[in-house]
Amino acid sequence: MEYVEGFVAAVPNASKDAFRNHAEKAAVVFKEHGATSVVECWGVNVPDGKVTSLPLAVKCETDETVVFSWVTWPSREARDKGMDAVFADPRTSSEVNPMPFDGTRLIYGGFEKLVVA
């Protein structure tokens, strides 16, 4: 069963180009290690909430934008094997491809598809 891993992060507005570059490099590595697709989205209509919201979840600051991303894998097993390989790949090291955002505020999780229309 296809497996989806989703990510939400706050990225400094001034780092949009650096984020795109980081994501493009990482996408190559993910796909080489079994991901079927990688999607990175820059927030353009992500409202603040009073109780819950994506900006609140990642503690988005006024000079940041919420980024929503996902990686699809053929299965959970392929994801587990692929992510081990991604993390071991030197192209994803912080020295080679540093994250242009605060990774401590990154939210992620894995999901099985329930409805596809």
Side-chain angles (χ1 to χ4, degrees), residues 31-114:
K31 293 195 79 179
E32 284 181 12
H33 293 297
T36 55
S37 69
V38 177
V39 179
E40 302 282 355
C41 303
W42 189 262
V44 296
N45 182 22
V46 187
D48 288 324
K50 294 185 184 206
V51 178
T52 62
S53 70
L54 291 171
L56 284 172
V58 294
K59 299 180 181 177
C60 193
E61 298 175 4
T62 57
D63 63 339
E64 295 178 322
T65 296
V66 173
V67 171
F68 179 62
S69 311
W70 64 92
V71 178
T72 56
W73 301 89
S75 65
R76 171 73 189 268
E77 294 75 23
R79 178 264 178 214
D80 292 346
K81 181 179 176 186
M83 285 301 281
D84 286 344
V86 167
F87 284 122
D89 194 304
R91 294 172 292 173
T92 62
S93 73
S94 59
E95 295 81 27
V96 174
N97 192 16
M99 291 190 304
F101 59 92
D102 180 0
T104 65
R105 293 185 283 144
L106 173 73
I107 297 172
Y108 64 93
F111 305 85
E112 291 180 349
K113 288 185 176 181
L114 187 60

